Each structure stands twice: as C-alpha cells, then as structure tokens.
Amino acid sequence: MAFHLLTIILVIVGLLSSFGSSFDPSPFQDFCIAANESKAAVFVNGKFCKDPKLATADDFFLAGLNVSGNPLPGLGSSVNSVDVNRLAGLNTLGISMVRADFAPYGLIPPHTHPRATELIVVIEGTLYVGFLAPDTTNPMKTRSFTKILSKGDVFVIPQGLIHFQYNVGHTNATVFAAFNSQNSGLIVVGSELFGSNPPLVDDVLSKAFQLDKKMVATLQGLFS
Ligand SMILES: *[C@@H]1O[C@H](CO)[C@@H](O)[C@H](O)[C@H]1NC(C)=O
Ligand SMILES: *[C@@H]1O[C@H](CO)[C@@H](O)[C@H](O)[C@H]1NC(C)=O
Ligand SMILES: *[C@@H]1O[C@H](CO)[C@@H](O)[C@H](O)[C@H]1NC(C)=O
C-alpha cells in the first residue's frame, strides 16, 4: 500500500515538473511595459512596469529592422537585435528577435544564448550554420549538427548550446531569428575565455586548451 502511494506521488511530481518545464511561464497581466521610473510602478521580472493606463501603441512598436545593425569588428557580420532593452513592451512576454547580416564569408562566431532557444530563417543568401552538443555516451566528446541553409530555410538552435552562422556564398546574406526569451543573453566563447577583464591566469587557459603560454598570451592579446 505504502509502495503504491509512493509510486502515485512520484508519478504526480514527475507530471507536474514536466508540465512546468514544457511551456513558458505565463505573465501575470496582459502586458507590463518596461519603465525606468519607479513611481507608481510594479517590480516584475527584473523591470518596473509602466502604469498600464498610460500604455500606447508605440510601447509595442519598433522601426528599424529594415536595415543591418551593429557590425561585429573584423567578422564581416552585423546584428540588429530587438530585446526588452530596446522594445519595452516585450517585458515579461518571453520573446525577442534579431536580424543578422553577413558579407561574403562573414561569420557570427561560436556563442550561446543561456536563456533562449533560437529559431532562424534565412531571408537572403547561403549560410553554413550549426551547433555543438555533448555526446550523451561520453561527456568529454562533442557532436556537431550543421546544415547549409538557403533562402526560406529554417533551423533551430536548442537553448544554451554553442552555435555559429557563416556565410559560404559569394553574396550578402540576411537572417532573422526569434528567441523564446525577452532577454536571451549572449556569451561569445572566444572573447569570454580569452578576453576577460581581468584576464584569467594563463595556467588555466594553457592547461585547458593544451596551448603553450606564448599562444595563450597571443590569444589574450587578440581578444582583449
Ligand atoms: C531607460 O533609461 C535608459 C538610460 O537613461 C535609456 O537609454 C532607455 O531608453 C530608457 N528606457 C525606457 C524604456 O524608457
Ligand atoms: C528604414 O526604416 C526607417 C524607419 O521606418 C526609415 O526611416 C528608413 O528610411 C528606412 N531605411 C531604409 C534603407 O529603407
Ligand atoms: C552587401 O552589403 C554591403 C553592406 O551592407 C553593401 O554595402 C553592399 O551594397 C551589399 N552588396 C549587395 C550586392 O547587395
């Protein structure tokens, strides 16, 4: 009897936790436009909400994805992102987007978004995109999942995994991507490790990547 009760409790807990992680948390209100002023505001999810009575259509609007965004120096790519910091109406809604543009052979280098899955659609050009995931049979090994994408092709990058996009065509390329977070976060692997301030002790990087210390210093110079 006790065994059956325990089994039932475990099944219920399992179901609840799988429901809990299978969709985004619901917002507590229709909207919560991020506001800077704290007067007459509610503090939710990291931002103050604007008084809903003062909301206007412009709080939910942004012009400017018709053009490319900030260039990534030396990489031949640029990023124009629309997150809660730029479009205050996204606050608490669990969604954001980006436009990325690539010159021929332009690259968005290996990076992760700690808080979001990314869904990419190619609008123009030909890109080599992919992500890395641990090999479940050996955590010290990695599998890569890559595709060549053309106009209209869609690719999904699971949350938190290291990924990249590289323009393999002779023409410019443009993609749009959606994130299931209002603020997906960005960790660029190379600069994170070799460009930190203050720099990591070179023993750590030398041993981790099996590089001599001169090479570590060279990389730290390149990324800082
Ligand atoms: C909040 O303040 C910052 C810095 O003054 C400004 O750049 C930003 O546009 C403001 N955001 C909103 C939603 O008013
Ligand atoms: C892009 O959109 C902005 C805002 O609507 C507009 O001012 C600008 O002229 C447009 N630029 C191009 C190149 O279409
Ligand atoms: C490619 O993009 C660059 C930078 O935006 C632009 O100057 C150039 O005209 C584009 N080339 C073509 C063929 O569209």
Side-chain angles (χ1 to χ4, degrees), residues 98 100 118-124 127 149-156 174-178:
V98 70
E118 176 172 354
L119 186 61
I120 302 171
V121 59
V122 177
I123 301 301
E124 206 59 69
L127 292 143
L149 303 186
S150 308
K151 186 170 177 168
D153 291 348
V154 171
F155 195 72
V156 63
T174 300
V175 306
F176 284 82

Side-chain angles (χ1 to χ4, degrees), residues 153-223:
D153 291 348
V154 171
F155 195 72
V156 63
I157 313 283
Q159 179 166 350
L161 300 186
I162 294 175
H163 60 283
F164 62 89
Q165 290 107 15
Y166 180 54
N167 182 359
V168 289
H170 302 289
T171 60
N172 288 346
T174 300
V175 306
F176 284 82
F179 301 97
N180 62 337
S181 164
Q182 66 181 33
N183 191 11
S184 61
L186 173 64
I187 296 172
V188 182
V189 178
S191 52
E192 181 94 357
L193 286 162
F194 291 98
S196 70
N197 181 22
L200 295 186
V201 170
D202 61 3
D203 281 332
V204 172
L205 294 168
S206 166
K207 192 160 257 179
F209 295 101
Q210 305 188 21
L211 297 170
D212 66 47
K213 291 192 177 173
K214 250 175 96 179
M215 182 60 81
V216 169
T218 304
L219 288 168
Q220 285 180 322
L222 287 172
F223 281 106

Side-chain angles (χ1 to χ4, degrees), residues 7 12 22 27 45 50 57 59 64 66 83 99 124 137-138 149 162 173-174 193 206 208:
T7 309
I12 290 172
S22 63
N45 200 17
K50 183 175 179 176
D59 290 322
N66 56 337
D83 61 15
R99 167 182 171 150
E124 206 59 69
T137 61
N138 180 349
L149 303 186
I162 294 175
T174 300
L193 286 162
S206 166

